[in-house]
Amino acid sequence: MALLFTRLRNFHHLHHYHGVHRRLSSSTTTSSVLSPYSSTTLTSKQKKRETLSLLISEQDPNYAVDICRSGELSPESYLDRYSFSILIKKLSKDNNFSAIHQFLQELKHNRNDLKTERFVSLSIILYGQANMMEHALRAFKDLHEGKEIFKGSIKSLNALLLACYLAKDYARAKCVFLDFPRIYNLQPDRDTYITVIKVFCKSGDSSLCYSVLEKMDRKGMKPDTSLLSTLLAGFYREEKFKDVGKVLDFMKDKYGFDSELSTYNVRIHGLCKLKRSAEAEVLYEEMCSKGMEPNHETFDHLIRGFRKEGNLEEAKKMFKLMVESNCEQKSGCYLAMVYFLCRWGDYEAALSVCRQSMDKGWVPQFRIMISLVEGLTKTSKAEEAKRIITEMKMRSKDGWELWTEVEACLFQ
């Protein structure tokens, strides 16, 4: 079967490669983003969507820059900000950091509509995403030290904090928060405090968030449940359970928030990541007793938690409860369950979940399906394996030859 797996990987690589280029060649006949000779005129929104679509499928980072350049991206558009982020990710993966700086500088200097704090702030965030913090810091200082024709505000400081967060440069983020408002005469706003709380919670310093909450209180800024849930998650990561209780108390007594589904999900997730899924299940039962309906996140955390602890029966039980519930279900949970059931050698259960998944249109990857049919064959369920192979042949015309070879290898 080893040779078969090698052929399988090559098949998928070629299929993906050709699929990408079919999409690109098709797009060039309908979109002015790549073809200046196209007779079709796209609306602004169509152009943004076309640019994003081409960018996602493009494999050449340098050509991706051309796509973005042609798309005339703007920081005002959510779709365009997403396109910027995808481009930076591609160039970073290619270690082409000079191209990132060159592209952002080119846009700022050549387009009058981008000579704004909004674009500089976006550039700072993108530098952070690429872990180019010296460039992010330089862009901020140029803005606030009079080297740009426009002035900076707290928005660019918030962008610099977010850049530090994305780059996981938590020490620098703390310095920015503590020193820069004084140095540059800036007044922190709600976004400043939200970002620095995220920084403290990720860096293992969740206790520092108490002083931030006090500052927010003095300014009349009430934290929402999302922000307090971030603090809860931080204390769970640090295993500071007394602080978890403290946050839950002042959520209710000080801010008037009752525990809701999102709060329970954060707590369940925190316990599952610490391999304390049995305690998380107690919270699940508690929320159900209060009449709350768990959602797919609740079940996903519990199933994943029990899987990581090797507790197969509990994972299967939670999966069954999810299937029987009214919650929206996601493909990832089904596909992961098939994979792990095969790893555990429970091919009968894997077959059942696979059937449910395929009935919903969610077909596991070939390598998982091969593991399943091979396992069924070894456990005297050859007829079930043959039925799966036949169904896969019907579902995938491109894979007909491959599945025929799988069948020949298994039943020769």
Side-chain angles (χ1 to χ4, degrees), residues 23 25 35 64 84 119 126 156 168 173 212 214 217-218 258 282 287 309 313 348 358 367 380 387 390:
R23 288 193 295 273
S25 61
S35 175
F84 273 119
F119 179 70
L126 295 173
S156 46
K168 299 181 180 179
V212 179
E214 289 174 2
D217 289 341
R218 288 196 295 269
D258 289 323
V282 173
M287 61 179 282
E309 294 175 39
E313 291 309 313
E348 187 172 352
M358 291 170 70
R367 63 186 179 86
S380 303
R387 277 193 281 271
T390 299

Side-chain angles (χ1 to χ4, degrees), residues 227-288:
L227 185 58
L228 294 171
S229 292
T230 298
L231 185 50
L232 280 175
F235 283 130
Y236 271 114
R237 273 192 295 270
E238 297 167 32
E239 300 187 54
K240 295 180 178 178
F241 300 111
K242 287 185 178 180
D243 285 291
V244 168
K246 183 177 178 180
V247 173
L248 290 171
D249 287 341
F250 68 63
M251 279 181 71
K252 182 176 181 180
D253 299 335
K254 185 174 182 179
Y255 298 114
F257 296 128
D258 289 323
S259 290
E260 54 187 34
L261 177 59
S262 61
T263 307
Y264 273 103
N265 281 346
V266 167
R267 298 178 65 193
I268 287 170
H269 188 212
L271 287 169
C272 288
K273 289 187 74 173
L274 294 173
K275 295 187 176 182
R276 301 174 71 153
S277 300
E279 293 174 51
E281 188 175 4
V282 173
L283 285 178
Y284 161 80
E285 292 169 352
E286 179 183 304
M287 61 179 282
C288 289

Side-chain angles (χ1 to χ4, degrees), residues 47-48 51 67-74 80 84 107 111 113-114:
K47 191 172 185 179
K48 294 179 187 302
T51 301
I67 292 173
C68 285
R69 188 179 288 116
S70 300
E72 299 179 354
L73 305 181
S74 166
D80 285 356
F84 273 119
L107 290 180
R111 287 177 51 185
D113 63 315
L114 298 184

